[in-house]
Amino acid sequence: MKKKEEIPFVKMHGIGNDYIYVDSLSGEIPSYLREENLPELSRKISDRHFGIGSDGLILILPSEKADFRMRIFNADGSEAKMCGNGIRCVGKYVYDLGFTTKKSLDIETASGIKHLELIEGENGEIDKVVVDMGSPSFLRGEIPARGEISLEMKDEELCVGKEIYKTTGVSMGNPHGVVYVSNVEELNLPLIGPGLERHEIWPDRANIEFVKVVDPGRIEVRVWERGSGETMACGTGACASAVVSYKKGLTGPDVTVSLRGGDLQISYSEKENRVLMTGPASFICRGVYYI
């Protein structure tokens, strides 16, 4: 009988957006982390009945450009460029487990290098993380969305079934579509989400955020994530929703984004066109996965 490989892992979450974290900081590449095996590994490990259960898989790697590097794979095996909740957990992981003593970190992602400021709690562990999420873009060519690449995508009428959803497109290093609704709790996301995620306007699919403005300082958001379905939270989605809400004059530049898993604080500087995200990161468990 062939001996099964053992994959050490840590499970973490950022306000309910949970991932399996696999440490590859030694630089050694075991067979299960070979490029051709990663999509299937993410699908298997993310399965909530036959695997560990998660929104996806995140690899923590050495970097030649930054302090550390991360790669993100969704639950369906597709690779994502950026994950706001995931990168906060990477910051906590490398500090709390002794891979660094720095509280100012640069993390390499597929959408560029992101800067983190780690905030220590009373117990000496990292409690919150501030992430410079970079610059949002509304241009179709950068989201990407089909149409004239130099034009913005504002309130585009997307048809799913018999319903029309006015959708504003924005990139936060990955594609987002923001839709405003009167009540986020009444939405049937498993029915609506796949059609909007896979609408023909998105050449690479998109994350979809359904937003209700509560007041100028707070919005409520439900998320349908590309490749993972409905998740408890999405960091880049919270940023996209906050920036669109500000651009529409519905909120101020600093806003609390309430998601199903908890709250994120988003600050947008229009002058610099930069977004800061502040939120918690938490360990769930650690163990060994057999493959």
Side-chain angles (χ1 to χ4, degrees):
M1 181 182 293
K2 182 180 178 181
K3 185 179 179 180
K4 292 187 175 182
E5 289 190 84
E6 298 182 354
I7 305 177
F9 73 89
V10 171
K11 185 173 181 179
M12 304 180 73
H13 79 92
I15 59 170
N17 196 191
D18 59 338
Y19 285 86
I20 305 303
Y21 294 78
V22 174
D23 174 353
S24 188
L25 290 170
S26 68
E28 297 179 6
I29 306 296
S31 61
Y32 56 79
L33 290 184
R34 290 176 187 156
E35 196 68 30
E36 66 272 16
N37 294 333
L38 292 174
E40 182 181 11
L41 176 62
S42 186
R43 288 191 292 269
K44 286 184 174 180
I45 213 166
S46 300
D47 191 289
R48 296 191 184 274
H49 298 287
F50 297 100
I52 301 168
S54 67
D55 291 326
L57 168 70
I58 291 181
L59 307 182
I60 305 174
L61 305 153
S63 173
E64 296 180 356
K65 303 176 181 178
D67 295 299
F68 300 94
R69 177 181 172 221
M70 66 183 286
R71 291 185 70 184
I72 310 114
F73 291 85
N74 297 314
D76 70 352
S78 59
E79 186 167 5
K81 290 185 176 181
M82 177 55 185
C83 175
N85 291 311
I87 201 170
R88 295 200 314 276
C89 289
V90 169
K92 179 177 175 66
Y93 183 103
V94 296
Y95 184 88
D96 284 358
L97 297 185
F99 292 100
T100 185
T101 58
K102 296 168 62 176
K103 292 181 183 175
S104 293
L105 295 175
D106 290 326
I107 306 294
E108 180 186 352
T109 76
S111 68
I113 294 174
K114 307 298 181 184
H115 183 72
L116 278 60
E117 293 290 335
L118 311 182
I119 301 173
E120 193 173 327
E122 294 180 358
N123 61 358
E125 297 179 354
I126 297 305
D127 181 43
K128 292 183 179 181
V129 180
V130 182
V131 185
D132 184 340
M133 297 291 286
S135 301
S137 176
F138 293 86
L139 298 180
R140 290 174 182 266
E142 296 180 4
I143 296 171
R146 290 189 169 90
E148 174 55 52
I149 62 172
S150 62
L151 297 180
E152 295 185 352
M153 179 182 167
K154 294 181 178 180
D155 291 329
E156 188 93 6
E157 293 188 350
L158 304 186
C159 182
V160 175
K162 297 181 180 179
E163 298 295 328
I164 299 292
Y165 298 90
K166 290 185 177 182
T167 307
T168 295
V170 59
S171 171
M172 283 301 312
N174 52 4
H176 291 270
V178 178
V179 180
Y180 287 87
V181 296
S182 58
N183 190 323
V184 296
E185 296 302 327
E186 293 180 352
L187 295 170
N188 186 346
L189 254 59
L191 180 66
I192 304 167
L196 284 172
E197 173 195 353
R198 298 175 180 274
H199 193 279
E200 62 183 9
I201 199 168
W202 317 112
D204 300 324
R205 297 184 292 165
N207 302 278
I208 308 298
E209 283 74 48
F210 299 89
V211 181
K212 176 186 175 182
V213 178
V214 178
D215 57 50
R218 186 164 75 93
I219 59 176
E220 294 178 352
V221 179
R222 278 180 72 185
V223 179
W224 182 268
E225 279 205 57
R226 176 180 61 167
S228 294
E230 183 173 12
T231 58
M232 297 292 285
C234 175
T236 55
C239 294
S241 301
V243 172
V244 173
S245 298
Y246 173 75
K247 291 283 191 178
K248 286 180 172 290
L250 302 173
T251 64
D254 302 316
V255 65
T256 298
V257 180
S258 296
L259 301 117
R260 287 203 144 181
D263 291 349
L264 293 175
Q265 307 301 319
I266 308 298
S267 296
Y268 175 58
S269 169
E270 187 170 24
K271 181 179 179 180
E272 298 179 358
N273 194 32
R274 307 290 286 183
V275 184
L276 294 181
M277 173 191 65
T278 303
S282 303
F283 287 109
I284 298 174
C285 64
R286 67 191 309 166
V288 174
Y289 179 74
Y290 297 95
I291 190 169

